[in-house]
Amino acid sequence: MKEIRERIEIMAPVGSFESLASAIKAGANSVYFGIEQLNMRSKAASNFTVEDLKIIVERCKEADVKTYLALNTVMYTHDMPLMKKICETAKEANLTAVIASDLAAITYAKKIGLEVHISTQQNVTNYETVEFFSEYADVVVLAREVTLKQVREIHDKIVENDLCGPKGEQIQIELFAHGALCVAISGKCYMSLATYNSSANRGACRQNCRRSYKVTDEETGVELVVDNKYIMSPKDLCAIGFVDQILDAGVSVLKLEGRGRSADYVRTVTRCYREAVDAHYEGTYTKEKIDAWIAELETVYNRGFWHGGYYLGKQLGEWSGKYGSQSTHENVYIGRVSHYFAKTSIAEITIETGEMKKGQDVLFTGPTTGALTAKNVEPWLEGKQVDGAKKGDAFSIPVPERVRPNDKVFLVLSRVSVQ
């Protein structure tokens, strides 16, 4: 199993130190993140700074986790000094690689000896393009619009021709496996730029496609009936049901989308895909397990799932049907950890808002804790077991792992209970 984990990477999205800790604990082989504004989630996530880079790399090295920096936006002349500074800082920090799409970033990173991965923004869909980029990169992220048959053909040609990257190792194929899809080809969208002068290709998408729309005949003023007002908002990709086919097609890296998502999302999605890959190689990848993983993935942020995507040759036509998340659970903030008693594994929580009841599930998040859930809790208040606690109370519960003072605390509620 150790060999499999080294051969097949689960790459987790990281937009905060909470998510970073969650990804590592959930079994990620690598993480990817952005710093400053030259990445495709510069407005959607709380991006790290140049100063954070060294800390991230050090923490990941301790856990034997690779680090990839997204440097994948459209870049203009005035971006060159910052791009070069980021590359140089990444090189000094011993970052594993940058994920880039602009040729200026690709060539500069190679020039200074920094490993490069080709971003999906390059829309690579054939072997010849992979061959071109093999001069610069060791890993190529294929476009999300390819089929698995096409992936297999590209992989077979890489093997047949022993196509290697700058490190002298065979080129690896990376593929998105889970998360948000864009109505535009590989995310190259111009609607936000046209309507708000806010470029999606510069990491500043205003999410035009996620809104509801009416279709009106301009001549008559008659509003046309459409089955779904969210006619440009695709459901999220979910490939957990055909992970075996993806791996058999020659994919080495499964990339999970969600740098703007919570630590709980990162933990859940990373763990599910880690388990699915391991199960495939152990011979225990079954429909029952797939159903259980899908149910788990449905508990965190999603717009509904498109099971198959372009990879299985399907036409895009599964739309979200509503705004925002369709998750079956919601995390509601109630307070913070005030003390942790290591000898007894007890956490004291001070409620800042709302109330909690006996038997509920509680989620902890923190930059070192990551995301941790205590299920079916039985609160204690002033030395007595109680049925609940309210704002201002400091109650105690046993926890499965260590938490830290100032960790945030949430109630995990089903969507039915919060409507």
Side-chain angles (χ1 to χ4, degrees), residues 29-265:
N29 303 98
S30 58
V31 298
Y32 70 106
F33 54 93
I35 60 175
E36 309 299 344
Q37 68 264 35
L38 296 182
N39 72 90
M40 293 296 285
R41 288 292 183 271
S42 62
K43 300 297 182 186
S46 301
N47 284 281
F48 298 105
T49 65
V50 170
E51 289 71 30
D52 292 327
L53 189 55
K54 187 176 180 181
I55 300 170
I56 296 168
V57 172
E58 286 177 351
R59 289 189 184 180
C60 287
K61 277 186 179 292
E62 289 175 3
D64 196 24
V65 170
K66 297 177 182 178
T67 47
Y68 303 129
L69 174 62
L71 194 62
N72 54 350
T73 62
V74 168
M75 296 183 188
Y76 296 106
T77 302
H78 69 265
D79 294 316
M80 294 300 103
L82 177 58
M83 178 273 289
K84 291 177 180 179
K85 178 184 177 183
I86 290 173
C87 285
E88 289 160 5
T89 305
K91 175 70 174 173
E92 288 177 19
N94 292 316
L95 179 90
T96 306
V98 291
I99 305 169
S101 59
D102 192 291
L103 285 172
I106 291 169
T107 54
Y108 187 75
K110 185 194 175 189
K111 178 182 176 182
I112 66 171
L114 182 58
E115 184 178 329
V116 178
H117 295 183
I118 300 301
S119 169
T120 193
Q121 260 63 46
Q122 268 291 347
N123 198 29
V124 177
T125 55
N126 58 73
Y127 171 78
E128 281 69 17
T129 305
V130 174
E131 186 177 32
F132 171 81
F133 280 117
S134 66
E135 181 182 339
Y136 305 94
D138 296 283
V139 178
V140 175
V141 188
L142 296 184
R144 303 184 200 192
E145 293 76 26
V146 293
T147 66
L148 290 185
K149 180 176 181 291
Q150 292 167 329
V151 174
R152 164 57 72 183
E153 289 170 350
I154 293 170
H155 171 263
D156 287 349
K157 280 201 169 186
I158 290 172
V159 175
E160 179 186 338
N161 296 303
D162 193 23
L163 184 65
C164 296
K167 291 195 303 183
E169 299 175 2
Q170 187 172 284
I171 293 289
Q172 287 187 297
I173 292 176
E174 182 178 317
L175 211 63
F176 273 93
H178 191 90
L181 287 170
C182 179
V183 70
I185 298 296
S186 283
K188 289 186 176 179
C189 182
Y190 297 91
M191 285 191 290
S192 184
L193 179 65
T195 54
Y196 296 102
N197 196 32
S198 184
S199 176
N201 302 306
R202 298 270 291 169
C205 181
R206 296 288 290 273
Q207 300 278 294
N208 299 54
C209 62
R210 303 301 182 188
R211 303 171 193 170
S212 59
Y213 288 88
K214 296 178 180 179
V215 180
T216 305
D217 186 323
E218 287 191 346
E219 289 188 13
T220 64
V222 173
E223 183 181 321
L224 304 180
V225 176
V226 291
D227 292 334
N228 174 17
K229 292 190 293 183
Y230 294 87
I231 56 176
M232 291 188 290
S233 181
K235 289 182 178 180
D236 291 351
L237 171 66
C238 180
I240 200 124
F242 57 99
V243 159
D244 55 340
Q245 296 180 58
I246 291 175
L247 299 178
D248 290 343
V251 175
S252 299
V253 185
L254 295 185
K255 190 170 193 171
L256 312 175
E257 189 275 337
R259 283 189 285 133
R261 302 284 172 243
S262 68
D264 183 33
Y265 171 97

Side-chain angles (χ1 to χ4, degrees), residues 396-413:
S396 299
I397 59 169
V399 289
E401 295 176 25
R402 182 183 177 185
V403 295
R404 281 92 183 157
N406 214 38
D407 280 355
K408 294 179 182 177
V409 183
F410 303 81
L411 291 181
V412 182
L413 305 177

Side-chain angles (χ1 to χ4, degrees), residues 10 15 45 55 95 131 323 333 353 383:
I10 301 296
I55 300 170
L95 179 90
E131 186 177 32
Y323 180 79
Y333 178 80
T353 182

